[in-house]
Amino acid sequence: MAEDFSVVVLASDLGIDARPFLTRSDEVDEQENWHDCPQYLGDEDFSDLDLLQFFTIQGLDKSGNRIFRIVGKYFPARVVSAERLKKYIFQKISYECPEGPFCLVYMHSTVQKDENSPGITILRWIYEDLPSDIKDRLQVVYFIHPGLRSRLVIATLGRLLLSGGLYWKIKYVSRLQYLWDEIKKGEVEIPDFVNNHDNVLEHRPLTDYGIEPDPFQLAEVQSSSFTLNRYENRWVS
């Protein structure tokens, strides 16, 4: 006798993950329990990713949450696959912070989209595949130096692509001075280029919105009309 089957029609433009609908229940259970498999964590060598220092454990924030620092500029998005990134993140959290609340300090300073960003859909996929206890232990995501584009993408697509739990945990930190309200100095290491970028934003606040002021300060040069008027007055006298 033929097996029962069903037809599920999904709109392709709604951003719905169709994998749970297109796989058998036993396959779904196997995928959901991938993080419980010991050999999954121990087989692969991640020493090359550790050397990059883009995902490291640090101190504590003022709420007592363990800090995982993420330096976006250090991540080579072109050469690290999404699957390997997911395994690495889960292994780091499971081994270095197996229990208790934690937070993420993500440094977006000078990140290049094509070089350093895995993409919001991949980040959503990684987050959704994490065990529920890890997602519950994540308390807050400090997003340092968010650009205009990042704010717009998260504001417009964040609620659709990110689960509600993660979306409401994101806290924008436009300047490092505001980070110290949440974390004591010395609890998280700040790379030099992040400090330099913070100084640039402090003196050129419009850079936050993608508007770069005149680097040559030409606006301070006297206008030609003023100069001509001055000489014109001399001729009249």
Side-chain angles (χ1 to χ4, degrees), residues 79-92:
V79 298
V80 180
S81 66
E83 181 68 25
R84 190 161 188 252
L85 177 62
K86 179 180 72 172
K87 294 179 182 179
Y88 177 67
I89 290 176
F90 176 70
Q91 185 182 91
K92 291 281 287 187

Side-chain angles (χ1 to χ4, degrees), residues 175 195-208 211-213 217:
R175 298 290 186 276
N195 281 311
N196 295 336
H197 185 69
D198 194 74
N199 291 332
V200 171
L201 295 179
E202 188 66 26
H203 293 89
R204 301 176 181 177
L206 292 180
T207 307
D208 274 337
I211 303 175
E212 177 64 25
Q217 300 180 345

Side-chain angles (χ1 to χ4, degrees), residues 53-218:
Q53 297 288 300
F54 70 86
F55 188 62
T56 58
I57 193 167
Q58 304 274 296
L60 301 172
D61 68 3
K62 291 184 179 180
S63 299
N65 304 314
R66 177 63 68 182
I67 299 172
F68 278 99
R69 186 195 69 173
I70 303 175
V71 183
K73 187 177 180 178
Y74 291 167
F75 177 67
R78 290 180 178 269
V79 298
V80 180
S81 66
E83 181 68 25
R84 190 161 188 252
L85 177 62
K86 179 180 72 172
K87 294 179 182 179
Y88 177 67
I89 290 176
F90 176 70
Q91 185 182 91
K92 291 281 287 187
I93 297 176
S94 299
Y95 287 169
E96 299 185 7
C97 187
E99 58 183 15
F102 68 94
C103 65
L104 300 177
V105 176
Y106 170 62
M107 301 180 182
H108 191 66
S109 319
T110 70
V111 164
Q112 300 296 321
K113 177 179 179 294
D114 295 333
E115 299 291 337
N116 311 120
S117 176
I120 190 173
T121 54
I122 291 179
L123 295 177
R124 171 190 179 274
W125 172 64
I126 292 175
Y127 177 81
E128 294 297 337
D129 273 7
L130 290 176
S132 58
D133 67 302
I134 290 183
K135 288 187 284 190
D136 292 339
R137 290 196 292 121
L138 174 60
Q139 301 300 305
V140 61
V141 179
Y142 298 106
F143 197 126
I144 300 178
H145 294 154
L148 177 62
R149 181 180 180 278
S150 300
R151 289 177 180 269
L152 290 176
V153 169
I154 294 177
T156 55
L157 301 178
R159 297 189 183 186
L160 177 63
L161 297 179
L162 301 177
S163 64
L166 179 60
Y167 178 82
W168 295 109
K169 292 178 181 180
I170 298 175
K171 185 172 185 177
Y172 295 116
V173 183
S174 59
R175 298 290 186 276
L176 290 177
Q177 63 178 345
Y178 304 129
L179 181 65
W180 309 137
D181 295 336
E182 309 291 342
I183 301 174
K184 292 182 179 179
K185 289 186 177 181
E187 292 290 333
V188 60
E189 182 181 357
I190 307 296
D192 290 339
F193 78 90
V194 176
N195 281 311
N196 295 336
H197 185 69
D198 194 74
N199 291 332
V200 171
L201 295 179
E202 188 66 26
H203 293 89
R204 301 176 181 177
L206 292 180
T207 307
D208 274 337
Y209 306 97
I211 303 175
E212 177 64 25
D214 184 5
F216 300 105
Q217 300 180 345
L218 295 179

